Amino acid sequence: MRHNKKFNHLGRKTAHRSSMLANMTISLIFHKRINTTLAKAKALRIYAEPLINRAKEDTMANRRLVFSYLQNKEAVKILFQEIAEKIGQRPGGYTRILKTGNRLGDNAQTCFIELVDYNEAMLNDSEAGKSKTRRSRRKKAAPAAETAAEAPAAEQTEAPAAE
């Protein structure tokens, strides 16, 4: 029976698919953001997030388990030291997929997949958005009327200074 075997095979055999996902995970760890197709990004999210979750607890068993998937010492080192520090408090959802449109050659949907805490542009936007406060229109309308009344008075005072 094939119960619980529903995932995207990406048109590849098992060995090719697992090595491709491992290589993409290594690239994601090194570069923090990669450009790929939407189908590969969704498969990569399923593959990479459990490995990132293992990095929260730095034990020899977890390091060996992640190394068995990735086969890259430098990537494991970065994952357990640098990335685990940033995602320590996050309960899940370590990656973000941003769609970028369709590829010209074969019209495949393309996207960026990135580690959530490493996109400085989005982090800066969210910090700027938090500092703003909401204001109602009623409060804005009253000062606008006052400034309109003051504007002609300001022009009158500036006119003699220009002469």
Side-chain angles (χ1 to χ4, degrees):
M1 292 187 231
R2 55 181 312 276
H3 295 303
N4 201 19
K5 293 189 182 296
K6 185 177 179 183
F7 61 91
N8 196 343
H9 296 283
L10 301 171
R12 290 161 172 83
K13 302 283 185 182
T14 305
H16 185 188
R17 185 174 55 249
S18 64
S19 63
M20 181 192 67
L21 290 173
N23 288 334
M24 289 176 71
T25 305
I26 292 167
S27 295
L28 183 65
I29 290 169
F30 282 142
H31 303 293
K32 313 302 188 257
R33 182 180 203 187
I34 57 174
N35 188 14
T36 183
T37 63
L38 187 62
K40 286 181 188 174
K42 288 180 178 179
L44 178 62
R45 175 189 281 174
I46 294 168
Y47 187 87
E49 288 205 1
L51 298 179
I52 296 170
N53 202 24
R54 287 271 179 187
K56 284 181 169 182
E57 188 180 347
D58 191 5
T59 62
M60 186 59 71
N62 283 346
R63 281 182 178 265
R64 285 179 175 166
L65 192 135
V66 170
F67 181 76
S68 72
Y69 282 92
L70 299 182
Q71 297 294 313
N72 189 314
K73 288 182 183 179
E74 292 81 22
V76 172
K77 187 176 180 181
I78 292 171
L79 179 64
F80 276 85
Q81 290 176 353
E82 181 184 331
I83 295 174
E85 236 177 67
K86 280 209 166 192
I87 56 116
Q89 301 301 320
R90 186 176 287 277
Y94 309 115
T95 57
R96 176 186 297 128
I97 294 176
L98 301 168
K99 296 179 183 178
T100 57
N102 294 346
R103 196 161 50 198
L104 289 177
D106 58 355
N107 208 30
Q109 290 180 325
T110 59
C111 65
F112 282 111
I113 182 167
E114 64 184 7
L115 295 174
V116 171
D117 294 328
Y118 284 91
N119 190 347
E120 288 82 19
M122 285 190 135
L123 290 174
N124 293 339
D125 289 343
S126 65
E127 290 171 5
K130 288 180 184 177
S131 64
K132 293 182 182 178
T133 59
R134 289 185 58 179
R135 296 188 180 108
S136 67
R137 290 181 174 255
R138 279 182 256 152
K139 291 180 182 177
K140 269 190 171 178
E146 292 171 8
T147 56
E150 293 172 3
E155 290 174 7
Q156 291 172 0
T157 57
E158 292 176 11
E163 292 175 1

